[in-house]
Amino acid sequence: MNYQNILFEIKNHTALVTVNRPDKLNALNGRTIDELEDVFHSIKNNPEVFIVVLTGSGEKAFVAGADIAELNKLDVISAKEFSEKGNRVFRAIETLDKPVIAAVNGFALGGGCELALACHIRIASENAKFGQPEVNLGIIPGYGGTQRLARVINSARALEMILTGDMIGAEEAIRIGLVNKVYPQAELLNKTLEMAEKIASKGHQAIRFALKAVKATDNISLNEGLAYEASLFALVCGTEDFKEGTAAFLEKRKPQFKHR
Ligand code: COA
């Protein structure tokens, strides 16, 4: 696919995906959603990519929401398709078996906040602002915001954001657990890429299994989760990286992971 609204590059096993419509504050129109679906599909199938960083172009916005000019034209049927499609694309991000880190470089509103929520880790710049302002438009979040926000923070805080439509800043976002770290805008991307490179340097199989195990907590009970963890722990002990990692420790050297 020929991308018009995203930038995509791969460096040192890290894929950098940038939503690139800065004149519209990177708002997600239908074309951008299609391109995100395509790029995450290709990332899934690319064995060279171990980890993904997702960000927005410019210094003002990560993503300022779904494209309101397109929203304005929805009817009941097309609105259902719109929401289902966005949910499919965001679910593909959330269930990717490679970590996805959002580098939130400004406004993350509506679909932008929902996109960040679908990522596994969120790092924000000091000027980042998060919000679910859909009620101001007479609608509700349609790309998973009502579900993921309540899970990532808690239902009372999620309701406050969704019912008031108010934005919160990066410091409040870190205080309530919506983001992992906050950096000055100029350092955000490098700091995020540093974290990505650190994760990519580990045995890739261990990273994949750890991600699977933790993400399973979204859907299963503690007992089921512990059984699942035991199965994944057994599987990871069948990898070459397990032999190498433990041998390297005992031999007092750095491991040379082969990601097998
Ligand atoms: N959809 C479509 N266009 C959007 C957009 C969106 N979600 N958010 C911003 N834009 C466009 C603006 O229309 C404007 O385009 P124009 O220059 O052609 O008029 C451009 O991006 C710049 O935005 P502007 O509103 O002028 O910037 P600002 O600094 O004054 O305000 C925001 C920034 C984020 C507060 C404001 O743009 C806003 O409230 N956006 C909508 C947020 C929202 O409701 N998102 C949820 C959608 S479900």
Side-chain angles (χ1 to χ4, degrees), residues 21-29 60-61 63-71 82 107-112 114 131-137 139-142 167:
R21 289 184 82 208
D23 55 325
K24 295 290 175 193
L25 304 188
N26 304 320
L28 299 175
N29 60 3
K60 203 165 163 186
V63 166
D67 191 310
I68 298 170
E70 289 188 1
L71 279 181
F82 165 94
F107 290 113
L109 304 176
E114 292 167 303
Q132 296 288 163
E134 287 86 350
V135 288
N136 298 332
L137 303 169
I139 53 173
I140 68 168
M167 296 183 210

Coordinates of all heavy atoms in Angstrom, one line a residue, residues 21-29 60-61 63-71 82 107-112 114 131-137 139-142 167, ligand 1:
R21 N -0.6 13.7 9.5 CA -1.5 14.7 8.9 C -1.4 15.9 9.8 O -2.4 16.4 10.4 CB -2.9 14.2 8.9 CG -3.3 13.1 8.0 CD -4.8 12.8 8.1 NE -5.6 13.7 7.3 CZ -6.9 14.0 7.7 NH1 -7.5 13.6 8.8 NH2 -7.6 14.9 6.9
P22 N -0.2 16.5 10.0 CA -0.1 17.6 11.0 C -1.0 18.8 10.8 O -1.4 19.4 11.8 CB 1.4 18.0 10.9 CG 1.9 17.5 9.6 CD 1.0 16.3 9.2
D23 N -1.4 19.1 9.5 CA -2.3 20.2 9.3 C -3.7 20.0 9.9 O -4.4 20.9 10.2 CB -2.4 20.6 7.9 CG -2.8 19.4 7.0 OD1 -2.4 18.3 7.3 OD2 -3.5 19.6 6.0
K24 N -4.0 18.7 10.1 CA -5.3 18.3 10.8 C -5.1 17.7 12.1 O -5.9 16.9 12.6 CB -6.1 17.4 9.9 CG -6.5 18.0 8.6 CD -7.6 19.0 8.8 CE -8.0 19.7 7.4 NZ -8.8 20.9 7.6
L25 N -3.9 18.1 12.8 CA -3.5 17.5 14.1 C -3.6 16.0 14.1 O -4.0 15.4 15.1 CB -4.4 18.1 15.2 CG -4.4 19.7 15.3 CD1 -5.1 20.1 16.5 CD2 -2.9 20.2 15.2
N26 N -3.2 15.4 12.9 CA -3.1 13.9 12.8 C -4.5 13.2 13.0 O -4.5 12.0 13.4 CB -2.0 13.4 13.7 CG -0.7 14.0 13.4 OD1 -0.3 14.3 12.3 ND2 0.1 14.4 14.5
A27 N -5.6 13.9 12.8 CA -6.9 13.3 13.0 C -7.0 12.1 12.1 O -6.5 12.0 10.9 CB -8.0 14.3 12.6
L28 N -7.7 11.1 12.6 CA -7.8 9.8 11.9 C -8.9 9.8 10.9 O -10.1 9.6 11.3 CB -8.0 8.6 12.9 CG -6.9 8.4 14.0 CD1 -7.3 7.4 15.0 CD2 -5.6 8.0 13.3
N29 N -8.7 10.0 9.7 CA -9.7 9.8 8.7 C -9.7 8.4 8.2 O -8.9 7.6 8.6 CB -9.6 10.8 7.5 CG -8.2 10.6 6.8 OD1 -7.5 9.8 7.1 ND2 -8.0 11.5 5.8
K60 N 2.5 19.3 18.1 CA 1.2 19.7 18.7 C 0.4 18.6 19.1 O -0.3 18.6 20.1 CB 0.5 20.7 17.7 CG -0.5 21.6 18.4 CD -0.9 22.7 17.5 CE -2.2 23.3 18.0 NZ -2.8 24.3 17.1
A61 N 0.4 17.5 18.2 CA -0.6 16.5 18.4 C 0.0 15.1 18.2 O 0.8 14.9 17.3 CB -1.8 16.7 17.5
V63 N -2.6 12.4 18.1 CA -3.8 12.3 17.2 C -4.9 13.0 17.9 O -5.3 12.7 19.1 CB -4.1 10.8 17.0 CG1 -5.5 10.7 16.4 CG2 -3.1 10.1 16.1
A64 N -5.5 14.0 17.2 CA -6.6 14.8 17.8 C -8.0 14.2 17.6 O -9.0 14.9 17.7 CB -6.5 16.2 17.3
G65 N -8.0 12.9 17.4 CA -9.3 12.2 17.3 C -9.6 11.7 15.9 O -8.8 11.8 15.0
A66 N -10.8 11.1 15.8 CA -11.3 10.8 14.5 C -11.6 12.0 13.8 O -11.7 13.1 14.4 CB -12.6 10.0 14.7
D67 N -11.6 12.0 12.4 CA -11.8 13.2 11.6 C -13.2 13.6 11.7 O -14.1 12.9 11.2 CB -11.4 12.8 10.2 CG -11.3 14.1 9.4 OD1 -12.3 14.9 9.4 OD2 -10.3 14.3 8.7
I68 N -13.4 14.8 12.3 CA -14.8 15.2 12.6 C -15.6 15.5 11.3 O -16.8 15.4 11.3 CB -14.8 16.4 13.6 CG1 -14.2 16.0 14.9 CG2 -16.2 16.9 13.9 CD1 -13.9 17.1 15.9
A69 N -14.9 15.9 10.3 CA -15.5 16.2 9.0 C -16.2 14.9 8.5 O -17.3 14.9 7.9 CB -14.5 16.8 8.0
E70 N -15.5 13.8 8.7 CA -16.0 12.5 8.2 C -17.1 12.0 9.2 O -18.2 11.5 8.8 CB -14.9 11.4 8.1 CG -14.0 11.7 6.9 CD -13.0 10.5 6.7 OE1 -13.0 9.5 7.4 OE2 -12.2 10.7 5.7
L71 N -16.9 12.2 10.5 CA -17.9 11.8 11.5 C -19.3 12.5 11.2 O -20.3 11.8 11.3 CB -17.5 12.3 12.9 CG -16.5 11.5 13.7 CD1 -16.3 12.2 15.1 CD2 -16.9 10.1 14.0
F82 N -18.1 2.1 10.9 CA -17.0 3.0 11.3 C -16.4 2.5 12.6 O -15.2 2.3 12.8 CB -17.5 4.4 11.4 CG -16.6 5.4 12.2 CD1 -15.8 6.2 11.5 CD2 -16.7 5.5 13.6 CE1 -15.0 7.1 12.2 CE2 -15.9 6.5 14.2 CZ -15.0 7.3 13.5
F107 N -1.7 16.5 21.8 CA -3.1 16.1 22.0 C -3.3 14.6 21.7 O -2.9 14.2 20.6 CB -4.0 16.9 21.1 CG -4.1 18.4 21.5 CD1 -3.6 19.4 20.7 CD2 -4.7 18.8 22.7 CE1 -3.7 20.7 21.0 CE2 -4.8 20.1 23.1 CZ -4.3 21.1 22.2
A108 N -3.9 13.9 22.6 CA -4.4 12.5 22.4 C -5.8 12.6 22.8 O -6.2 12.3 23.9 CB -3.6 11.5 23.2
L109 N -6.7 12.9 21.8 CA -8.1 13.2 22.1 C -8.9 12.2 21.4 O -8.6 11.8 20.2 CB -8.5 14.6 21.7 CG -7.6 15.7 22.3 CD1 -8.0 17.1 21.8 CD2 -7.8 15.7 23.8
G110 N -10.1 11.8 22.0 CA -11.0 10.9 21.3 C -10.3 9.7 20.8 O -9.6 8.9 21.5
G111 N -10.3 9.5 19.4 CA -9.7 8.3 18.8 C -8.2 8.3 19.0 O -7.6 7.2 19.0
G112 N -7.6 9.5 19.4 CA -6.1 9.5 19.6 C -5.8 8.9 21.0 O -4.9 8.2 21.2
E114 N -7.8 6.8 22.4 CA -8.2 5.4 22.2 C -7.0 4.6 21.5 O -6.7 3.5 21.9 CB -9.5 5.3 21.5 CG -10.7 5.8 22.3 CD -11.9 5.9 21.4 OE1 -11.9 6.7 20.4 OE2 -12.9 5.3 21.8
G131 N -7.8 13.2 26.4 CA -9.2 13.4 26.7 C -10.1 12.6 25.8 O -9.7 12.1 24.8
Q132 N -11.3 12.4 26.3 CA -12.4 11.8 25.5 C -13.5 12.8 25.3 O -14.5 12.7 26.1 CB -12.9 10.5 26.2 CG -11.8 9.4 26.4 CD -11.4 8.6 25.1 OE1 -10.4 8.0 25.1 NE2 -12.2 8.8 24.0
P133 N -13.3 13.7 24.4 CA -14.3 14.8 24.3 C -15.5 14.6 23.5 O -16.2 15.5 23.1 CB -13.4 16.0 23.7 CG -12.5 15.2 22.8 CD -12.2 13.9 23.5
E134 N -15.8 13.3 23.2 CA -16.9 12.9 22.3 C -18.2 13.5 22.7 O -19.0 13.9 21.9 CB -17.0 11.4 22.2 CG -16.0 10.8 21.3 CD -14.7 10.4 22.1 OE1 -14.6 10.8 23.3 OE2 -13.8 9.7 21.6
V135 N -18.5 13.6 24.1 CA -19.8 14.1 24.5 C -20.0 15.6 24.0 O -21.1 16.0 23.8 CB -20.0 14.0 26.0 CG1 -20.3 12.6 26.5 CG2 -18.9 14.7 26.8
N136 N -18.9 16.3 23.8 CA -19.0 17.7 23.3 C -19.6 17.7 21.8 O -20.0 18.7 21.4 CB -17.7 18.4 23.3 CG -17.1 18.5 24.7 OD1 -17.9 18.6 25.6 ND2 -15.8 18.6 24.8
L137 N -19.4 16.5 21.2 CA -19.9 16.4 19.8 C -21.3 15.7 19.7 O -21.8 15.3 18.7 CB -18.9 15.7 18.9 CG -17.5 16.2 18.9 CD1 -16.5 15.3 18.2 CD2 -17.5 17.6 18.1
I139 N -21.7 12.6 20.8 CA -21.5 11.1 20.6 C -20.7 10.6 21.8 O -20.5 11.3 22.8 CB -20.7 10.8 19.3 CG1 -19.4 11.7 19.3 CG2 -21.6 11.1 18.1 CD1 -18.5 11.3 18.1
I140 N -20.5 9.3 21.8 CA -19.6 8.6 22.8 C -18.4 8.0 22.1 O -18.4 7.9 20.9 CB -20.4 7.5 23.5 CG1 -20.7 6.3 22.6 CG2 -21.7 8.0 24.1 CD1 -21.2 5.0 23.3
P141 N -17.4 7.7 22.9 CA -16.2 7.1 22.2 C -16.6 5.8 21.4 O -17.5 5.1 21.9 CB -15.3 6.7 23.4 CG -15.7 7.6 24.5 CD -17.2 7.8 24.3
G142 N -16.0 5.7 20.3 CA -16.4 4.5 19.4 C -15.3 3.6 19.0 O -15.5 2.7 18.2
M167 N -10.0 17.6 29.3 CA -8.7 17.0 29.1 C -7.9 17.0 30.4 O -8.1 17.8 31.3 CB -7.9 17.9 28.1 CG -8.5 18.1 26.8 SD -7.4 19.1 25.8 CE -8.6 19.9 24.7
Ligands
COA1 N1 -11.0 16.1 13.0 C1 -10.8 16.9 11.9 N2 -10.0 18.0 12.0 C2 -9.4 18.3 13.1 C3 -9.6 17.6 14.3 C4 -10.4 16.4 14.2 N3 -10.6 15.6 15.3 N4 -8.9 18.2 15.3 C5 -8.3 19.3 14.7 N5 -8.6 19.3 13.4 C6 -8.2 20.4 12.4 C7 -8.9 21.7 12.7 O1 -10.2 21.7 12.1 C8 -8.0 22.7 12.0 O2 -8.1 22.5 10.6 P1 -8.2 23.9 9.7 O3 -6.9 24.6 9.9 O4 -8.3 23.3 8.3 O5 -9.3 24.7 10.2 C9 -6.6 22.1 12.3 O6 -6.8 20.7 12.6 C10 -5.9 22.7 13.6 O7 -6.8 22.6 14.6 P2 -7.3 23.9 15.5 O8 -8.6 23.6 16.1 O9 -7.2 25.1 14.7 O10 -6.2 23.9 16.6 P3 -6.3 24.5 18.1 O11 -4.9 24.6 18.6 O12 -7.1 25.8 18.1 O13 -7.1 23.5 18.9 C11 -7.8 21.2 19.6 C12 -6.6 22.2 19.1 C13 -7.2 19.8 19.7 C14 -8.2 21.7 21.0 C15 -9.0 21.3 18.7 O14 -8.5 21.1 17.3 C16 -10.0 20.3 18.9 O15 -10.8 20.4 19.8 N6 -10.1 19.2 18.1 C17 -11.1 18.2 18.1 C18 -10.8 17.3 19.2 C19 -11.9 16.3 19.3 O16 -13.1 16.6 19.6 N7 -11.6 15.0 19.1 C20 -12.5 13.9 19.2 C21 -13.1 13.6 17.9 S1 -14.2 12.2 18.2

